[in-house]
Amino acid sequence: MGKAAFVPEDFFHFRLVGEPQLSPFGDEVAYVLRTIDAEENRYRSTIQLVSVAGGMPLQLTSGHSRDHAPRWSPDRQQIAFLSDRSGSEQIWLIPRHGGEAIQLTHLADAPELIGWSPDGTQLFFTAAVSPKGLESEAEKKQREEQRSPREKFTADVRDITRLWYRLDSVGYFDDRRRHLFRLEIASQKVHALTQGEYDVQDPTLSPDGKWIAFAANRSPQADRFPEIQDIWLLPVEGGEPRRLTEGAWGCALPRFSPIADRIAFFYVDPKRFGYGNTRLGVVTTAARPQITPLTSGWDNSFTDLSMNDLHGHAPQSAPFWAPDGKMLYALASLRGTTQLCAIDADKGDVQVLTHGNHCFYGMDVIPGAGRFVVARTTGEIPGDLYVATLDQPDPLQPLTSVNTDWMNEREVAVPHRIDWHNRAGQAMDGWLIQPVDTHAGEKAPTVIEVHGGPMMMYGDAFFFEFQLLATAGFAVAYCNPRGSQGYGEKFCACIAGDWGHLDWEDIQDWTDRVGQEPGIDADRLGIAGGSYGGYMTNWAIGHTDRFQAAVTMRSVVNEFSMFGTSDLTYTEGGDFGEFGGPPWEVPERYRRVSPLTFAGQMHTPTLILHSEQDYRCPISEGEQLYMALRFRGVETEFVRFPNESHELSRAGQPWHRLLRLEKIVDWFARHLQQSEE
């Protein structure tokens, strides 16, 4: 019997692995296994253990909760983790070999777990708290019960005074700020370590347990320049943090050297924001810190900047130090792949250790054990864990195969890389997925997919959306046009403030190139994309009629309205920075890059998908496009998803994600597939 084709309901079969954490001895991996509950329309996750030698994983936690963020105790005998099993997100503790988990916190504000003290007696975490400090669940309940009618029935009114007052997937800010706390495990007492009108980001403990480093912007102008973050140093007992960097970079993910005399961190130029390379820097912890921009001569970006539609935005992996402090290890994004690199901690020389067509969306390293573990996806594999040694990183050894059984019964369409050149003569990367069921002599309709960002990249990663389109009889073509990461800073930054020019040239050239492939019907074309990909879809239908159908998702159509409604466009790294000023000062720059300017030239049947709680590209963008198309009599459909953010396609409610996929396939089927007569 032949293999079955994918159907949208297969979405509920996916099992997703992530957040790998090697034990202190490097012999076991704790990780999170996420599943999808169709009956209750929610995600569940458990903590699993697997030996680096292989074998069957052990399910450490169970039930119908969301367990995640595992952290090993220094003696490897216990694992702390976060769980909502009590009804709210709290810190729990469980023995390594299983048993009854113990709840350690009962907080009104959800904690985010950092890690253990070296002696195993304390845990460190962050929580967003009001100026009054951390509150217990019991205290919150009592306070709410004592509210007057006035307090009770006006509690939903928002009084906004901050410039930066909301963030996509987080919501509206109030007077709460994210701060550091220390938890004594035996007594369950909690001690506040930081306070004030700033937010602690990416905290990490020194190996000797004496210090905490974190990223923060403590400037009074923090809301005006949220992309600027400094590295700060704090004693674990608390006190006044000491700033180590100089307020010129966007610093993130600090990590101490083995003797805590230096801190490695990633940084970006705030004025380039996403268009610049993510580089690696080092700062000393001395009284007069010395900062070294370690990899300024390497024209690539660290961290994983690839995209997929199953794992969402996984937590980024920090740099790791070798035991002797001479080397650092970090992930980097390279031409549609993610690889592990070794970096000389003094000279900044970079060596790429792994190779192959894959993307790593999670990593942990125990340099003392000489071993690393990665969460890896390819065009055919949704995601599994792999392990290798630092001295022999290839080949990677698989530790899990969480989707193999059921996916062996499905026909998986294999993406094929295409090397091509744009009209400027630049070497480009693209991928083509042919339809699953093709017959000799038949030519397939093709959907051109455009990624978001634009400062992200398509790569060798699994996309369920693309698989469903291939199952439905479509070829799927996608590439990394100028503006993408993974190809150097100049390649990415050349479109800043000038969307719809060089990037649009590349999309046109890629469409022409795909039309030359065997089995492609160049007269039946669709275009689709989300976020910036939605922008480019809107731009395309305003500048050409070569596409017979379009699907635009969480898109941008009007740069004027984006400035006043999006959560980040007013920043130096947003529209303000790109266009050289606010829209009332340089209106022509906003007008000429807004797809709405060209609505009078739009004729393509267009499906608009948008989330009602999208604060990155607000729902008003979709509303304006829909009204423009409807007013002009263009065939269009507007699908609104309530209670969803910009992350609908990656982290939205399961049934909403399924409906979204069905809508995309159906729209292209209605407009691109030939009717049978």
Side-chain angles (χ1 to χ4, degrees), residues 194-427:
T194 60
Q195 60 182 350
E197 293 188 10
Y198 65 94
D199 292 284
V200 169
Q201 308 285 347
D202 304 332
T204 184
L205 280 158
S206 63
D208 58 10
K210 296 180 179 180
W211 302 93
I212 298 176
F214 60 88
N217 185 334
R218 297 187 62 185
S219 164
Q221 297 294 314
D223 281 358
R224 179 69 180 80
F225 304 100
E227 63 271 26
I228 295 176
Q229 298 280 316
D230 277 309
I231 302 300
W232 297 77
L233 189 65
L234 175 76
V236 294
E237 299 301 322
E240 181 61 26
R242 180 164 61 92
R243 190 171 77 174
L244 300 182
T245 56
E246 300 175 342
W249 294 337
C251 303
L253 295 168
R255 285 297 182 270
F256 284 94
S257 65
I259 60 174
D261 62 332
R262 291 177 292 172
I263 296 174
F265 58 94
F266 294 129
Y267 71 94
V268 296
D269 180 346
K271 293 184 179 180
R272 288 185 176 270
F273 201 46
Y275 292 114
N277 286 337
T278 299
R279 305 185 189 278
L280 185 61
V282 172
V283 60
T284 63
T285 57
R288 294 184 178 180
Q290 298 295 314
I291 305 170
T292 303
L294 199 59
T295 60
S296 56
W298 194 59
D299 192 19
N300 284 293
S301 273
F302 289 104
T303 73
D304 171 38
L305 297 169
S306 67
M307 308 187 75
N308 66 78
D309 64 349
L310 288 180
H311 298 280
H313 292 303
Q316 290 287 4
S317 300
F320 295 85
W321 289 84
D324 60 7
K326 294 182 178 180
M327 300 293 291
L328 286 155
Y329 302 96
L331 295 182
S333 296
L334 306 170
R335 299 193 70 91
T337 71
T338 312
Q339 307 294 348
L340 176 63
C341 298
I343 305 97
D344 187 299
D346 294 317
K347 300 178 181 178
D349 297 336
V350 180
Q351 178 187 1
V352 181
L353 298 181
T354 58
H355 304 86
N357 295 332
H358 52 225
C359 292
F360 300 147
Y361 59 92
M363 178 184 72
D364 194 27
V365 180
I366 300 295
R371 184 171 286 127
F372 69 95
V373 60
V374 289
R376 172 181 179 266
T377 180
T378 71
E380 302 167 72
I381 300 172
D384 275 307
L385 298 183
Y386 297 77
V387 69
T389 57
L390 292 169
D391 58 349
Q392 286 188 317
D394 283 330
L396 299 169
Q397 302 300 319
L399 294 180
T400 65
S401 54
V402 295
N403 294 292
T404 300
D405 290 344
W406 75 271
M407 282 190 60
N408 278 342
E409 300 174 358
R410 299 294 188 272
E411 191 71 45
V412 179
V414 181
H416 295 283
R417 269 188 181 248
I418 296 177
D419 298 324
W420 60 289
H421 289 78
N422 62 10
R423 68 186 66 179
Q426 294 170 297

Side-chain angles (χ1 to χ4, degrees), residues 373-621:
V373 60
V374 289
R376 172 181 179 266
T377 180
T378 71
E380 302 167 72
I381 300 172
D384 275 307
L385 298 183
Y386 297 77
V387 69
T389 57
L390 292 169
D391 58 349
Q392 286 188 317
D394 283 330
L396 299 169
Q397 302 300 319
L399 294 180
T400 65
S401 54
V402 295
N403 294 292
T404 300
D405 290 344
W406 75 271
M407 282 190 60
N408 278 342
E409 300 174 358
R410 299 294 188 272
E411 191 71 45
V412 179
V414 181
H416 295 283
R417 269 188 181 248
I418 296 177
D419 298 324
W420 60 289
H421 289 78
N422 62 10
R423 68 186 66 179
Q426 294 170 297
M428 310 289 283
D429 291 322
W431 292 259
L432 178 64
I433 301 177
Q434 292 282 6
V436 168
D437 187 13
T438 57
H439 301 283
E442 287 187 351
K443 289 191 174 183
T446 302
V447 176
I448 305 295
E449 292 267 7
V450 187
H451 69 64
M455 322 85 155
M456 301 292 287
M457 68 178 188
Y458 275 139
D460 295 297
F462 187 88
F463 274 84
F464 188 48
E465 176 185 325
F466 299 175
Q467 292 293 325
L468 285 178
L469 286 168
T471 293
F474 300 99
V476 183
Y478 48 105
C479 74
N480 287 325
R482 278 172 284 185
S484 303
Q485 280 282 5
Y487 299 84
E489 193 166 86
K490 183 178 180 181
F491 186 94
C492 184
C494 69
I495 72 165
D498 193 25
W499 290 9
H501 179 202
L502 299 178
D503 46 358
W504 172 228
E505 286 184 1
D506 290 349
I507 295 298
Q508 294 177 86
D509 293 349
W510 170 238
T511 304
D512 293 339
R513 175 63 181 83
V514 170
Q516 300 171 11
E517 287 293 305
I520 299 300
D521 187 343
D523 294 323
R524 286 189 291 157
L525 296 172
I527 187 168
S531 194
Y532 162 81
Y535 168 94
M536 186 52 65
T537 300
N538 300 340
W539 187 267
I541 64 174
H543 287 78
T544 182
D545 290 330
R546 75 184 300 184
F547 299 105
Q548 285 72 56
V551 178
T552 181
M553 298 164 271
R554 60 189 188 280
S555 73
V556 177
V557 72
N558 185 353
E559 292 289 0
F560 286 91
S561 54
M562 281 287 288
F563 178 87
T565 60
S566 178
D567 57 356
L568 290 174
T569 53
Y570 70 87
T571 65
E572 286 285 350
D575 288 355
F576 175 87
E578 287 197 44
F579 300 144
W584 55 88
E585 291 183 359
V586 286
E588 178 58 25
R589 295 182 182 178
Y590 285 77
R591 188 200 66 81
R592 67 181 174 84
V593 299
S594 294
L596 192 64
T597 302
F598 307 95
Q601 301 167 199
M602 296 180 180
H603 309 100
T604 306
T606 301
L607 173 65
I608 303 168
L609 305 177
H610 221 113
S611 298
E612 293 186 348
Q613 274 67 56
D614 188 336
Y615 299 143
R616 184 62 41 83
C617 300
I619 188 70
S620 58
E621 297 298 302

Side-chain angles (χ1 to χ4, degrees), residues 89-101:
E89 188 104 315
Q90 302 294 336
I91 299 175
W92 292 71
L93 189 63
I94 193 169
R96 164 177 163 260
H97 290 299
E100 196 67 30

